[in-house]
Amino acid sequence: MRWTLRRGDQLAVVIVLLLLTVGASIYAWRDQNRRTHWIDIEQVEPQPAAYIVDINQADWPELTQLPGIGETLARRIIESRETLGPFLDHNDLQRVRGIGPRTLERLRPYLLPTADVENIAGDSLTLQEAGS
């Protein structure tokens, strides 16, 4: 027994396979178009991220995220905080070499308010002198 097809039968098989391929392609294209519909989404204005730092708690990598503060100045802030004690208010940052009035004004929006002098633990004599 031989499994050969005559010329006419071969042509019929090719036509059937071609029709099946075209039909499957059309079905897949229509199915894909049914699944993907464009949705109009209203655009919302981007919200700026509020990065706020506690100058009495932040480490130097956090301080370097502030505008105009590099690694050297951040390390000076930490050193000042460790040697002279916590910053009692934002103006105390000016005791750090490299921070003047303009730099301080640029930093103010990014600084948490400092605690009241009475709430900071430490040597009470030093705190009384700082308040005077």
Side-chain angles (χ1 to χ4, degrees):
M1 264 181 130
R2 293 184 74 187
W3 291 93
T4 58
L5 297 176
R6 289 180 281 166
R7 185 77 126 162
D9 295 335
Q10 290 175 355
L11 185 60
V13 169
V14 169
I15 291 174
V16 169
L17 289 176
L18 188 61
L19 288 174
L20 285 174
T21 304
V22 169
S25 299
I26 291 172
Y27 176 79
W29 178 75
R30 290 189 69 201
D31 188 48
Q32 180 183 7
N33 284 343
R34 261 186 262 142
R35 282 192 232 153
T36 56
H37 295 283
W38 293 102
I39 300 173
D40 291 329
I41 298 175
E42 292 182 24
Q43 293 293 327
V44 178
E45 288 294 318
Q47 299 293 321
Y51 185 77
I52 299 178
V53 174
D54 181 358
I55 55 173
N56 288 318
Q57 298 293 322
D59 292 326
W60 72 266
E62 292 174 88
L63 294 172
T64 59
Q65 301 301 310
L66 298 172
I69 304 294
E71 182 180 345
T72 304
L73 196 51
R75 289 186 186 272
R76 283 187 200 151
I77 293 170
I78 301 297
E79 182 182 328
S80 175
R81 186 174 70 204
E82 290 173 352
T83 57
L84 301 175
F87 299 101
L88 301 178
D89 62 11
H90 294 158
N91 292 327
D92 267 359
L93 273 172
Q94 292 185 42
R95 72 183 187 203
V96 177
R97 185 172 46 96
I99 297 181
R102 283 191 287 172
T103 304
L104 181 60
E105 286 308 311
R106 198 171 46 225
L107 293 176
R108 278 190 200 276
Y110 303 99
L111 301 177
L112 277 176
T114 53
D116 293 332
V117 175
E118 297 84 31
N119 294 335
I120 298 177
D123 186 15
S124 60
L125 185 59
T126 307
L127 292 176
Q128 288 174 357
E129 292 173 1
S132 304

